[in-house]
């Protein structure tokens, strides 16, 4: 149950906002917390925050954000077929320094790009930044087992495993979405997943079985 959060856009995030967000993320990952600030083209900033609950390869070598050849990854979940994928990648010449599914994920994207998602079996919420082309990818598993929310402004996009992470990293409160509350009370929890809305105005969920590519324009793919 790791925690992920971050920002991608033209603004700078203060140390105070980062600390406040990491403090709120501790409940999702007591074993490690880390931050990475990245730049692209001198005007786009990317912040990755991660708190880790160590399950697979508990050594610090598997801490996140995880880096490989211009790719940066923060991820929550478990890839059930990571051992099989690692064997496929080894046959293509990839070498591994950890026993984690995190390293398999980032090298799978390096090898197959977005076709990687067709190969994954598991549950996940992830953010991946490609420093070669400046793209950010947000992805969620097929059944939306792992939560992932985002808030888009003219200056960029905030994301996180929980809405309170987004509220703290952007230092903003959000109005209650009464339409979503009414929908829930009248039609039950299944009605919540028929829309991208959440219980807060302006905050959306990444849809199940989808990934968003932010360039910074948002493209949604199933």
């Amino acid at each position: 149950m790791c925690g992920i959060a971050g920002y991608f856009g033209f603004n700078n995030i203060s140390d105070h906002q980062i600390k406040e967000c990491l403090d709120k993320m501790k409940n999702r990952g007591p074993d490690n917390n880390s931050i990475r600030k990245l730049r692209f083209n001198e005007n786009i900033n990317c912040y990755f925050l991660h708190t880790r609950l160590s399950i697979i390869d508990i050594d610090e070598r598997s801490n996140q954000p995880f880096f490989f050849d211009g790719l940066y990854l923060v991820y929550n979940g478990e890839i059930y077929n990571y051992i099989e994928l690692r064997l496929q990648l080894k046959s293509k010449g990839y070498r591994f320094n950890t026993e984690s599914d995190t390293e398999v994920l980032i090298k799978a994207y390096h090898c197959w790009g977005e076709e990687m998602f067709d190969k994954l079996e598991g549950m996940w919420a992830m953010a991946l930044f490609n420093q070669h082309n400046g793209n950010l990818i947000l992805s969620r598993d097929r059944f939306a087992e792992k939560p992932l929310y985002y808030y888009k402004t003219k200056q960029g996009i905030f994301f996180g495993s929980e809405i309170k992470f987004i509220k703290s990293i952007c230092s903003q409160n959000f109005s209650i979405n009464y339409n979503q509350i009414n929908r829930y009370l009248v039609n039950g929890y299944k009605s919540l997943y028929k829309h991208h809305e959440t219980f807060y105005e302006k905050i959306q969920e990444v849809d199940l079985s989808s990934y968003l590519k932010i360039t910074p324009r948002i493209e949604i793919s199933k």
Side-chain angles (χ1 to χ4, degrees):
M1 194 181 72
C2 300
I4 67 174
Y7 170 76
F8 176 77
F10 300 105
N11 291 343
N12 285 299
I13 307 299
S14 71
D15 293 341
H16 172 74
Q17 290 168 289
I18 290 169
K19 182 181 183 305
E20 185 176 336
C21 185
L22 283 174
D23 286 344
K24 286 184 167 59
M25 292 170 67
K26 285 180 181 178
N27 68 303
R28 296 190 68 90
D31 297 319
N32 183 71
N33 67 82
S34 300
I35 174 180
R36 190 74 180 258
K37 178 183 178 181
L38 309 162
R39 295 273 289 176
F40 180 75
N41 278 356
E42 301 301 321
N43 62 346
I44 295 179
N45 296 315
C46 182
Y47 294 81
F48 273 5
L49 285 68
H50 187 266
T51 55
R52 185 182 182 197
L53 176 65
S54 302
I55 302 292
I56 300 175
D57 190 357
I58 62 174
D59 193 277
E60 63 180 15
R61 65 189 176 182
S62 295
N63 289 343
Q64 302 177 42
F66 203 93
F67 167 77
F68 176 71
D69 192 23
L71 301 176
Y72 296 84
L73 173 71
V74 285
Y75 147 71
N76 170 38
E78 184 177 348
I79 305 304
Y80 304 146
N81 63 332
Y82 79 98
I83 293 176
E84 292 85 350
L85 292 174
R86 185 169 60 195
L87 290 173
Q88 292 180 42
L89 290 165
K90 281 184 175 180
S91 71
K92 294 178 178 292
Y94 286 88
R95 296 182 179 181
F96 291 84
N97 301 312
T98 77
E99 297 298 322
S100 68
D101 55 351
T102 304
E103 186 178 13
V104 172
L105 260 180
I106 201 168
K107 291 181 177 177
Y109 184 84
H110 186 271
C111 180
W112 295 302
E114 288 147 34
E115 293 180 7
M116 170 193 76
F117 294 114
D118 294 330
K119 301 177 182 293
L120 299 182
E121 298 174 13
M123 54 182 179
W124 69 83
M126 71 176 76
L128 189 148
F129 177 66
N130 187 337
Q131 207 164 31
H132 298 296
N133 56 22
N135 291 344
L136 174 71
I137 287 180
L138 302 178
S139 174
R140 202 167 174 206
D141 63 76
R142 293 175 181 82
F143 295 98
E145 292 183 71
K146 294 299 181 182
L148 187 56
Y149 303 93
Y150 67 97
Y151 164 54
K152 190 175 188 305
T153 72
K154 291 181 179 179
Q155 296 300 313
I157 187 167
F158 298 86
F159 61 89
S161 303
E162 298 184 36
I163 292 175
K164 65 183 178 182
F165 303 164
I166 296 175
K167 292 169 69 176
S168 58
I169 199 172
C170 71
S171 296
Q172 183 173 332
N173 288 318
F174 295 89
S175 300
I176 299 296
N177 184 350
Y178 290 101
N179 287 334
Q180 184 78 331
I181 292 175
N182 290 336
R183 189 180 298 121
Y184 171 66
L185 292 175
V186 172
N187 299 312
Y189 77 94
K190 289 185 179 180
S191 66
L192 301 180
Y193 301 103
K194 295 181 179 179
H195 305 268
H196 294 155
E197 296 180 41
T198 67
F199 289 110
Y200 290 90
E201 297 283 357
K202 299 181 181 179
I203 292 185
Q204 295 179 283
E205 273 191 294
V206 177
D207 200 5
L208 75 169
S209 189
S210 298
Y211 65 90
L212 278 60
K213 183 190 290 186
I214 299 98
T215 61
R217 187 171 62 90
I218 293 181
E219 301 172 5
I220 301 176
S221 300
K222 297 291 286 186

